[in-house]
Amino acid sequence: GQSLEQPSEVTAVEGAIVQINCTYQTSGFYGLSWYQQHDGGAPTFLSYNGLDGLEETGRFSSFLSRSDSYGYLLLQELQMKDSASYFCAVRTGTASKLTFGTGTRLQVTL
Amino acid sequence: GAGVSQSPSNKVTEKGKDVELRCDPISGHTALYWYRQSLGQGLEFLIYFQGNSAPDKSGLPSDRFSAERTGGSVSTLTIQRTQQEDSAVYLCASSLRAGYGYTFGSGTRLTVV
């Protein structure tokens, strides 16, 4: 089966940098994705890592180390609107669904 | 359409009744997924469609749950004889390629009373 672990909650100050970690145990691995979900909203796609290394998209970056079964999402210059839940998700086959982690609730404070 | 559309947005039903939830994916997206999310919880996979076939229905929790997709487009998730534990937000997503870059609908909030 698949299991993903991420912290349940993270708090950070506006303007700061925060890193949300995700470790996974899967049978087969084809990529790690990150999704953001505001309260009452639908999850939205943030980033995807299929290979080791860092992917940068504006204030958000995502990192993957396949040898360590580990990835993280890095949010820079935090804004109040970044307060949301963040989910990592793995794809374990060439034509398969995503399996999501339990999510990390990020609270950005003044 | 421009996004994934789900209907109804809210559904309150009595225990024991059947419900149908509809998902209209983005035009051209061949992969379609159903997930459900209980309050404050993660996303629980239900079923995955590629075209009209369902290569993975391993997440359906019981035989009261079924889903179909027609014309490679609209999908319907049916829950028979609803129970209180079925209360959740049911999310549909579609993607061009399986397992990558999902676009989610806004979900159907199902409440079984």
Side-chain angles (χ1 to χ4, degrees):
Chain A
Q2 278 71 245
S3 71
L4 295 92
E5 286 193 21
Q6 37 179 145
S8 58
E9 288 187 24
V10 173
T11 300
V13 177
E14 191 177 31
I17 299 172
V18 72
Q19 178 174 312
I20 299 173
N21 298 321
C22 174
T23 57
Y24 56 88
Q25 287 187 318
T26 62
S27 52
F29 177 83
Y30 283 82
L32 182 72
S33 299
W34 289 91
Y35 286 77
Q36 177 192 61
Q37 185 180 33
H38 288 98
D39 284 348
T44 57
F45 173 72
L46 289 178
S47 70
Y48 172 79
N49 293 76
L51 301 174
D52 290 353
L54 192 68
E55 293 285 338
E56 297 179 78
T57 308
R59 295 187 297 115
F60 293 3
S61 303
S62 58
F63 172 82
L64 174 65
S65 169
R66 289 175 295 172
S67 60
D68 295 323
S69 298
Y70 163 76
Y72 66 72
L73 180 69
L74 191 74
L75 295 83
Q76 302 182 72
E77 301 173 17
L78 282 173
Q79 302 175 8
M80 297 298 289
K81 67 179 182 180
D82 297 329
S83 293
S85 292
Y86 292 83
F87 295 88
C88 59
V90 294
R91 181 165 69 99
T92 56
T94 54
S96 73
K97 82 279 189 181
L98 292 177
T99 299
F100 285 80
T102 53
T104 298
R105 189 170 183 86
L106 170 65
Q107 181 155 0
V108 180
T109 62
L110 291 172
Chain B
V4 177
S5 177
Q6 290 188 246
S7 61
S9 55
N10 278 284
K11 176 73 177 178
V12 180
T13 189
E14 291 182 352
K15 179 181 172 181
K17 300 282 191 183
D18 297 352
V19 294
E20 283 191 355
L21 312 180
R22 177 188 166 102
C23 173
D24 199 343
I26 291 174
S27 178
H29 280 195
T30 57
L32 184 148
Y33 318 81
W34 285 97
Y35 287 79
R36 74 177 176 182
Q37 187 174 33
S38 300
L39 188 63
Q41 301 299 308
L43 284 76
E44 177 190 2
F45 169 75
L46 297 177
I47 188 168
Y48 152 54
F49 286 94
Q50 183 63 41
N52 290 337
S53 63
D56 189 346
K57 52 181 82 171
S58 61
L60 294 178
S62 75
D63 58 8
R64 296 188 295 105
F65 288 72
S66 63
E68 65 174 13
R69 188 180 185 193
T70 55
S73 181
V74 172
S75 176
T76 303
L77 176 69
T78 301
I79 309 173
Q80 295 179 308
R81 305 181 301 282
T82 52
Q83 304 294 312
Q84 287 186 329
E85 61 262 29
D86 299 335
S87 296
V89 175
Y90 289 80
L91 291 162
C92 174
S94 69
S95 66
L96 269 176
R97 288 192 283 137
Y100 174 79
Y102 285 12
T103 300
F104 280 90
S106 298
T108 294
R109 182 177 298 278
L110 175 67
T111 304
V112 182
V113 298

